Amino acid sequence: MSKRSAAFFDIDGTLYREGLITEIFKRIIRHGLVDERLWHDEVKPAFMKYDRRQGEYDDYLLKMVNIYKNGITGISSEHISHIADLVIREKGERVYTFTRDEILRHKVEGHLVIAVSGSPLELVKAMAKKYAFDDCKGTIYQVDERGYYTGEVIPMWDHESKRKALFDLARQYDVDFAASYAYGDTTGDLEMFNLVGHPYAINPTRELLDRIAIDQPLKEKIQIVVERKNVVYLIDSDKIKIK
C-alpha cells in the first residue's frame, strides 16, 4: 500500500485572519473568568506594541497565553469547550481565501487535511470540525480527573512541538513527507516547512522571511503567499526584499 499525501495547516494567521486565542480570551473576560484589568495591565501593552509594529507578535502571544493559562486554572473544561464552540460559530468565517481554497483543493485530491496549531486544543477541534479536517493537534491545557484545568500546558506553538506532532501523525497515517504540504506564517512553522516537499508561507512574519533568506534548500522550494483585501499575491522567494 502506497504512502499518503497530507496537507498540514497552521491556524492562527494562516487560516484564521488573526489569533483564535485572542477571541476566546475576550470571551472569558466577558464571562468573568479572567479579571479585565489583566487585559489592560498585562496583555494590552504588548498588543499595542505589536499593533504599532514596535514589538513582536510572539511577545504579545506568550503574554496572553500565560494570563489565559492562569485564568482557566480551576475551571471546567466543558465550560471552555462551550465558549470555544461559540467563538468558532461567530468568528469561524474570518479566514483567508487562499487557505480556505487550498483546504478544499486538498480534499478533492484525496489528501489528508490536518490542523497543527498553537491555539488551545478546544478551539482547534472546533475549527477543524467546521472545515472538515481529518485530524488536528493543538496546545493542551491539562485537566485533572474531574475535568478541571490544572495550569499545566503541553505547547504546540514552537517548531520542536510541531516537528514531533508531524512525525507522530506521519506514523499514524503513513504519510509521505516529500509528497506533502505545509502552510504557516511564523518561525514556529519552520520544521513543518523543512519536512514537507511543498511548503507555503502565508503572510509571513519578518522573522520567518529572514530565516527563509538564509536557508537555501527551503528558499528553493517554498512558495510565499500574501493576501491583502481581495487579492492574493504569489511571490517568488528570490524576489523578496526586506526593508
Side-chain angles (χ1 to χ4, degrees), residues 25-229:
F25 192 85
K26 293 174 182 175
R27 277 276 186 172
I28 63 177
I29 288 176
R30 197 181 310 167
H31 282 242
L33 301 178
V34 172
D35 191 331
E36 189 172 359
R37 289 174 297 181
L38 290 175
W39 164 260
H40 290 290
D41 297 343
E42 299 286 340
V43 180
K44 190 175 181 179
F47 170 76
M48 294 304 295
K49 287 185 69 174
Y50 159 70
D51 194 50
R52 294 166 180 163
R53 301 301 187 261
Q54 298 170 342
E56 303 297 336
Y57 176 76
D58 285 350
D59 294 338
Y60 155 60
L61 176 63
L62 291 175
K63 177 72 72 173
M64 185 164 53
V65 164
N66 190 51
I67 300 297
Y68 175 82
K69 177 191 72 174
N70 293 335
I72 66 171
T73 299
I75 300 295
S76 168
S77 60
E78 290 185 4
H79 194 164
I80 299 301
S81 293
H82 174 67
I83 295 175
D85 288 340
L86 290 176
V87 167
I88 301 306
R89 195 180 307 160
E90 293 181 7
K91 301 288 188 175
E93 299 288 342
R94 297 191 71 245
V95 297
Y96 287 113
T97 301
F98 177 85
T99 315
R100 182 187 62 208
D101 290 348
E102 285 293 278
I103 292 170
L104 294 174
R105 176 176 74 86
H106 286 298
K107 293 182 74 64
V108 167
E109 294 181 6
H111 300 161
L112 287 165
V113 182
I114 301 173
V116 183
S117 172
S119 274
L121 184 58
E122 293 83 358
L123 276 169
V124 179
K125 282 183 175 179
M127 196 68 163
K129 181 179 179 181
K130 179 175 179 62
Y131 288 94
F133 281 77
D134 296 295
D135 205 342
C136 64
K137 298 284 186 180
T139 294
I140 297 173
Y141 292 81
Q142 293 187 305
V143 298
D144 60 21
E145 65 279 359
R146 302 171 301 148
Y148 287 78
Y149 292 104
T150 65
E152 299 297 318
V153 179
I154 302 175
M156 190 56 67
W157 55 72
D158 61 286
H159 60 90
E160 291 183 4
S161 297
K162 289 192 175 184
R163 177 184 175 84
K164 181 180 182 303
L166 258 66
F167 274 108
D168 289 343
L169 289 162
R171 284 191 291 269
Q172 180 179 351
Y173 292 106
D174 199 22
V175 169
D176 179 1
F177 280 137
S180 293
Y181 301 73
Y183 299 79
D185 67 318
T186 71
T187 55
D189 301 308
L190 276 169
E191 287 294 342
M192 293 204 307
F193 293 155
N194 284 317
L195 284 173
V196 304
H198 309 284
Y200 286 76
I202 311 297
N203 296 320
T205 62
R206 181 187 183 94
E207 293 73 29
L208 177 55
L209 289 176
D210 286 341
R211 295 290 294 274
I212 292 171
I214 61 174
D215 187 337
Q216 192 61 33
L218 178 58
K219 187 177 181 180
E220 290 176 358
K221 66 178 180 176
I222 199 164
Q223 175 68 66
I224 295 172
V225 180
V226 176
E227 183 171 331
R228 291 291 181 268
K229 297 181 179 177

